[in-house]
Amino acid sequence: MKDKLPYITSTYFVSLIKAYLQGHKTKPEILAETADLLPPSAHNEVSQLLTAAAHQMNDAFYADIVDSIQHTSGTVPTRKGLIHHLEALLKEEITVQELLDWATWYTFEEDQLSAGIMDDFAVEYFCLDFLPVYHEELTENQFTKALQLFKQQDQNPLKEKIALTLLIEKEQQHFLYFLRSFLEQPQHIEALDSYLMKKFGMDHFSFPYMADLVGMSGHPERMEELLKKAMC
């Protein structure tokens, strides 16, 4: 392989690894592009597969790749990358498992908070929290709604996190219950804060729909309107 492809450099492998980790290329796209380059391998994870192939081609490539990946940005999922992967999933070009493998390649210790790993808070929540929990039950319609959410121009990370969570029907019921309970007993703000903090990582001061909720005082029947707004 070294003799056949003398023009290949470590930069080529770095660009492929970053393209995959950011999400701009899916696993099938990487494998198709490198079909004549990669030898049979036991590695299933794309970056490991590419790194192993680079190491086999040139011993110096491995150090170059490790140094480049460790000391530069661009090695975590991006919004464009997530959109690309969701579109590929809906076109049946990748499986849910391949989406999950890509989204959760980054591992962290049990006592390490996931917040702040990625530049995009909503993408981080989807990849590291939402998808690992719900991937087995998400339907094509729910994946489509998630895609539409990430493609919106008016981005608000807090609202996006809420909307993603509310893709799950049981979460919609919990949302209605706790917010309706607050309207009925507004003096018990602690219960609302406990729910918001546990579910969304925020209190009522940062809850983006608090003004809407307070405005519905005396009209708990309007809660469905707020639910619909929060799901968009």
Side-chain angles (χ1 to χ4, degrees):
M1 183 166 61
K2 295 178 183 178
D3 295 333
K4 293 181 179 179
L5 298 166
Y7 57 91
I8 295 294
T9 67
S10 60
T11 302
Y12 173 73
F13 286 100
V14 169
S15 65
L16 284 178
I17 291 172
K18 285 188 175 183
Y20 173 71
L21 296 181
Q22 292 176 355
H24 302 154
K25 290 182 182 292
T26 63
K27 180 177 181 178
E29 288 172 333
I30 292 288
L31 295 180
E33 182 174 337
T34 58
D36 297 330
L37 174 64
L38 300 182
S41 173
H43 295 290
N44 289 321
E45 202 278 317
V46 173
S47 62
Q48 293 179 359
L49 178 64
L50 290 170
T51 301
H55 194 189
Q56 181 175 336
M57 180 177 292
N58 188 315
D59 293 340
F61 283 3
Y62 179 78
D64 291 343
I65 291 172
V66 171
D67 182 70
S68 181
I69 295 300
Q70 286 184 340
H71 294 88
T72 59
S73 60
T75 58
V76 294
T78 65
R79 182 172 292 250
K80 287 184 178 180
L82 178 54
I83 289 173
H84 180 62
H85 269 68
L86 287 173
E87 288 176 337
L89 175 69
L90 293 170
K91 294 176 183 176
E92 299 184 351
E93 295 173 353
I94 63 172
T95 65
V96 172
Q97 185 60 51
E98 286 174 326
L99 173 65
L100 180 66
D101 290 343
W102 166 74
T104 59
W105 73 266
Y106 184 96
T107 58
F108 47 91
E109 303 299 328
E110 292 184 1
D111 59 348
Q112 179 184 357
L113 296 176
S114 62
I117 294 172
M118 303 176 193
D119 294 333
D120 193 313
F121 175 70
V123 172
E124 179 176 306
Y125 172 70
F126 181 88
C127 290
L128 299 183
D129 297 303
F130 181 78
L131 188 63
V133 173
Y134 297 113
H135 67 277
E136 291 183 343
E137 62 184 88
L138 289 172
T139 65
E140 180 180 349
N141 183 53
Q142 288 168 315
F143 277 119
T144 299
K145 289 181 178 178
L147 174 60
Q148 293 170 344
L149 178 67
F150 282 111
K151 293 177 77 172
Q152 289 179 358
Q153 296 299 316
D154 186 20
Q155 299 173 12
N156 182 311
L158 294 180
K159 289 183 177 181
E160 288 173 335
K161 182 175 182 178
I162 293 171
L164 286 169
T165 303
L166 294 179
L167 288 175
I168 308 302
E169 185 174 354
K170 66 180 180 181
E171 297 298 348
Q172 297 173 24
Q173 300 308 313
H174 292 163
F175 184 83
L176 288 173
Y177 172 79
F178 282 100
L179 270 62
R180 187 176 285 120
S181 295
F182 169 75
L183 287 184
E184 295 172 351
Q185 296 181 306
Q187 70 274 19
H188 294 160
I189 191 69
E190 295 83 3
L192 177 62
D193 276 342
S194 178
Y195 163 72
L196 292 174
M197 185 59 65
K198 181 178 180 180
K199 188 57 59 178
F200 305 114
M202 63 186 76
D203 58 17
H204 71 280
F205 292 108
S206 53
F207 182 52
Y209 300 106
M210 196 63 196
D212 299 87
L213 180 60
V214 173
M216 292 180 179
S217 179
H219 301 280
E221 71 279 0
R222 294 178 56 196
M223 278 302 307
E224 294 288 346
E225 297 176 20
L226 183 53
L227 174 63
K228 184 176 181 180
K229 181 177 181 179
M231 292 177 64
C232 296

